[in-house]
Amino acid sequence: MIKKIILFISLLAITLPTSLYANEEVSDLAKNWFTTFSAKIDAKYSTDKEIQYFKALSKRLDTLLITRNFNEEQTKLVNDLIKLSNEYVFKKIKYTKESSNILKIQRNSLINSFKNKSYNKEWIFLENWVWYAYIYDTHLYFDISNEDLSQSALEWNNISKYSSLVFVRDDWKFWFVNDYIKRKLIPDSIIYWIPWKYNFLKELKDDKKKLNQDTDEAFITLKNITKKLTEWKTEEEKIKAIYHYIISNIEYTTNFSFDKPEVFSWIHTFAYKNWVCEWYVKLFLYMLNFANINDSEVIRWYVLDAPDFPEIWHAWLRIWDKYYDPTFDDPIGQSKTKEFSEYFYFWLPYDLFYTNRYDFDKIPSFLKEKSLEYREAFIKKRIASLVYKYKDSWYNILKPYVLKYENWIELTKTLDLEDLKKILWYSEVVNWSTYINWVKKQISNINYYEINDSNIENIIKQLNYNFDWFYLFKWKLDDWSYEYRLAYNVIFK
């Protein structure tokens, strides 16, 4: 468009006449030329592009008056064209606004005739002090563009103002649903004081898609548990208390099927205390809301080092600007409950939390085809790149890397016995005798882990990378072979 304007200006500078009457308001030549030219533009472009075109034309003509030496008559013609162009833009804008207002009034009148309407994107509404939601199959809605919205278009798509549901979106597009159900969520009296009801109700609506159960009593119980657990605590203390409660009271369910909806049921999981990741974070969100912790959000997408990546998604939680994953912090198949000092996925900043995961729209496509081994190495590099930034923090996810950093070991390397010798006090033991600081010591008793290159990483992770009062012994056995022992509670005579 701009190139055509530049070409027009170049031709204009050559062909401007010299016999115009200076006292005319707008010359006939300018009117005739502009009428012909604007008709061609009107036939070729939409109204919005027309307005852009003539705005640009006026601007370039203004520039031409400054950069070219025109006589009086030529200057008059350029000014006439600028005036006509500006008037044309003004009329087009006025017409567009008036047409838009008329169309909006007509649409509102049409929409208001519908019995069932919703003005929020989750289709959640309050009726007689009870929250309800419209549940529907997303593949059955009709998306009618603003230009085509009319009674005939609705009738063509079997949309009825008596039985269909209309959803008025923020961008003033309209969605219509024929196949839907109205489902009760929760009485407002239970969540009356919750500061951010939206996320609570949105997740509860999603729950109700799985199984339609009355959850009022369960939520009253959970509300009382939360109140007792968090009373008189600061916001940070409340988050810690709830996180620890979930991990201490819920066991991850490995034996489940997506074909059985009860695994996603609030009632089932709350009653039997065995859940999948979805319900760890939903319980977390519900309890946070009951504790008046706002700005929390369930996030679902992919974990890179999951064996079933990218077929199965995972769920975690954001609170303010930090991220949490109680599922990853719950020891599966172990009776031991973690303490706060052992949590890896608690209160992490975005860049550190997302070293091993991606939101759906940000995942690089090449990773979907890579092996688990490749992805694990990829994650190590991502975490290693953040060691210097966070090396003085308490984040457990960084501990194995900080340990290597402080002992001059390659950050992405898997620890082996030679590395461990750089970290711990190391000596050989023969007949329960060894040398400590060049002094011969006789060992009377020890506890230990038998250790080798293949199990070092797992064992030191269980120890939370705390090696206080640990020794690495190369222990000579009775058959003259050796084994390595990571020893603790060592008693010397």
Side-chain angles (χ1 to χ4, degrees):
M1 181 179 73
I2 297 300
K3 289 182 179 178
K4 291 183 179 179
I5 293 175
I6 295 173
L7 178 61
F8 157 73
I9 292 171
S10 300
L11 293 173
L12 186 65
I14 298 171
T15 60
L16 283 172
T18 60
S19 59
L20 299 176
Y21 294 101
N23 60 351
E24 287 185 345
E25 184 179 351
V26 174
S27 69
D28 290 338
L29 177 63
K31 288 180 180 178
N32 292 337
W33 180 88
F34 192 85
T35 300
T36 302
F37 184 66
S38 61
K40 292 180 180 179
I41 297 299
D42 183 67
K44 187 173 182 179
Y45 296 114
S46 66
T47 302
D48 287 343
K49 286 188 177 180
E50 274 189 275
I51 292 170
Q52 293 176 19
Y53 195 108
F54 283 102
K55 280 183 176 179
L57 176 61
S58 296
K59 185 176 180 181
R60 298 309 289 267
L61 288 174
D62 271 332
T63 303
L64 191 63
L65 285 174
I66 298 172
T67 58
R68 298 294 179 92
N69 293 319
F70 294 139
N71 60 33
E72 184 178 349
E73 291 81 3
Q74 292 171 329
T75 302
K76 172 73 167 59
L77 179 58
V78 175
N79 280 320
D80 286 349
L81 292 174
I82 292 173
K83 183 176 182 179
L84 289 169
S85 182
N86 289 337
E87 287 179 352
Y88 187 86
V89 168
F90 174 78
K91 289 177 181 178
K92 280 288 181 179
I93 291 175
K94 183 179 180 183
Y95 171 78
T96 301
K97 287 182 177 179
E98 289 175 350
S99 299
S100 177
N101 289 335
I102 293 171
L103 192 60
K104 186 175 180 181
I105 291 170
Q106 292 173 340
R107 290 185 188 128
N108 283 344
S109 177
L110 179 62
I111 295 304
N112 287 334
S113 69
F114 275 74
K115 180 181 178 182
N116 300 313
K117 296 181 290 293
S118 178
Y119 288 86
N120 65 73
K121 61 184 176 181
E122 288 300 328
W123 301 40
I124 295 168
F125 60 97
L126 186 64
E127 183 178 289
N128 296 324
W129 301 106
V130 176
W131 289 98
Y132 292 87
Y134 292 119
I135 309 293
Y136 65 96
D137 184 342
T138 57
H139 297 288
L140 294 179
Y141 69 81
F142 300 94
D143 189 357
I144 309 296
S145 66
N146 284 353
E147 291 76 13
D148 297 332
L149 185 60
S150 65
Q151 186 63 49
S152 59
L154 298 180
E155 291 173 356
W156 177 262
N157 287 286
N158 297 318
I159 301 296
S160 166
K161 64 181 181 181
Y162 301 107
S163 60
S164 300
L165 173 68
V166 58
F167 168 37
V168 185
R169 300 190 347 169
D170 293 339
D171 56 5
W172 285 97
K173 289 185 178 180
F174 306 93
W175 285 4
F176 300 89
V177 180
N178 278 339
D179 188 9
Y180 66 92
I181 57 174
K182 176 182 173 182
R183 184 156 289 172
K184 174 189 171 184
L185 299 181
I186 192 171
D188 190 63
S189 58
I190 298 177
I191 61 172
Y192 183 76
W193 294 105
I194 287 179
W196 276 39
K197 293 181 184 178
Y198 172 73
N199 278 339
F200 186 104
L201 293 167
K202 181 181 72 170
E203 294 302 334
L204 183 53
K205 175 197 169 186
D206 185 65
D207 300 345
K208 297 288 186 173
K209 289 180 183 178
K210 309 298 189 303
L211 286 178
N212 183 22
Q213 298 169 311
D214 192 311
T215 57
D216 294 356
E217 291 302 319
F219 273 119
I220 290 172
T221 301
L222 184 64
K223 183 178 181 180
N224 292 333
I225 291 172
T226 305
K227 182 179 179 181
K228 183 177 180 181
L229 190 68
T230 61
E231 199 167 20
W232 308 113
K233 287 183 170 63
T234 65
E235 289 190 327
E236 290 78 8
E237 290 170 341
K238 288 178 180 180
I239 294 172
K240 287 183 179 180
I242 293 170
Y243 196 81
H244 193 61
Y245 171 85
I246 293 170
I247 293 175
S248 302
N249 287 275
I250 305 301
E251 181 181 354
Y252 187 82
T253 299
T254 56
N255 182 25
F256 73 92
S257 169
F258 286 110
D259 297 330
K260 296 181 178 180
E262 62 267 17
V263 75
F264 297 103
S265 161
W266 160 258
I267 292 292
H268 176 88
T269 48
F270 186 69
Y272 295 102
K273 309 300 182 188
N274 48 59
W275 302 32
V276 292
C277 62
E278 174 86 0
W279 286 99
Y280 276 87
V281 293
K282 283 198 174 182
L283 175 63
F284 197 5
L285 181 133
Y286 292 148
M287 295 182 75
L288 287 168
N289 276 268
F290 283 135
N292 290 325
I293 303 293
N294 59 19
D295 195 7
S296 56
E297 172 190 18
V298 174
I299 301 173
R300 304 167 180 86
W301 287 122
Y302 298 114
V303 176
L304 287 180
D305 49 352
D308 49 16
F309 168 87
E311 283 77 21
I312 305 298
W313 51 263
H314 183 56
W316 51 88
L317 198 81
R318 175 192 61 79
I319 310 172
W320 308 321
D321 62 342
K322 295 296 189 293
Y323 294 80
Y324 303 77
D325 192 338
T327 312
F328 268 45
D329 270 335
D330 196 7
I332 298 176
Q334 302 178 32
S335 59
K336 177 179 177 291
T337 298
K338 289 185 178 181
E339 301 298 329
F340 277 111
S341 61
E342 301 174 273
Y343 292 148
F344 269 61
Y345 292 91
F346 180 87
W347 204 73
L348 291 183
Y350 176 88
D351 54 356
L352 199 52
F353 187 84
Y354 273 78
T355 50
N356 73 330
R357 58 195 75 206
Y358 276 97
D359 292 339
F360 177 77
D361 57 343
K362 297 179 181 178
I363 182 170
S365 57
F366 79 92
L367 284 175
K368 297 179 181 179
E369 308 299 327
K370 297 297 184 181
S371 66
L372 177 59
E373 290 74 19
Y374 179 95
R375 285 181 273 121
E376 288 175 338
F378 181 82
I379 292 165
K380 284 184 177 181
K381 290 179 181 178
R382 300 185 85 191
I383 298 178
S385 68
L386 296 170
V387 167
Y388 188 78
K389 179 179 180 180
Y390 293 113
K391 63 182 177 64
D392 297 323
S393 71
W394 57 267
Y395 300 125
N396 283 334
I397 196 172
L398 278 180
K399 282 188 175 180
Y401 298 88
V402 173
L403 180 69
K404 296 170 188 176
Y405 174 83
E406 292 176 343
N407 289 278
W408 299 90
I409 301 169
E410 183 185 344
L411 297 183
T412 58
K413 182 180 183 293
T414 301
L415 287 175
D416 57 28
L417 286 167
E418 292 303 312
D419 297 324
L420 210 56
K421 290 176 183 178
K422 302 175 185 178
I423 300 169
L424 297 173
W425 181 270
Y426 167 73
S427 63
E428 294 188 15
V429 178
V430 179
N431 294 327
W432 292 75
S433 179
T434 188
Y435 284 87
I436 305 294
N437 292 328
W438 307 104
V439 177
K440 187 174 183 179
K441 297 281 189 177
Q442 193 69 26
I443 300 171
S444 62
N445 187 64
I446 67 166
N447 297 101
Y448 67 91
Y449 300 93
E450 186 179 343
I451 198 166
N452 54 58
D453 286 344
S454 65
N455 68 2
I456 287 177
E457 295 270 6
N458 287 332
I459 289 176
I460 64 175
K461 183 177 180 180
Q462 292 178 35
L463 299 175
N464 197 26
Y465 305 93
N466 182 2
F467 297 120
D468 293 343
W469 306 105
F470 273 84
Y471 299 85
L472 178 61
F473 291 140
K474 183 179 179 182
W475 200 281
K476 186 176 182 180
L477 304 176
D478 293 339
D479 61 0
W480 296 91
S481 63
Y482 288 89
E483 70 179 19
Y484 285 89
R485 297 180 177 181
L486 187 58
Y488 60 100
N489 293 337
V490 181
I491 299 175
F492 298 102
K493 291 183 180 178

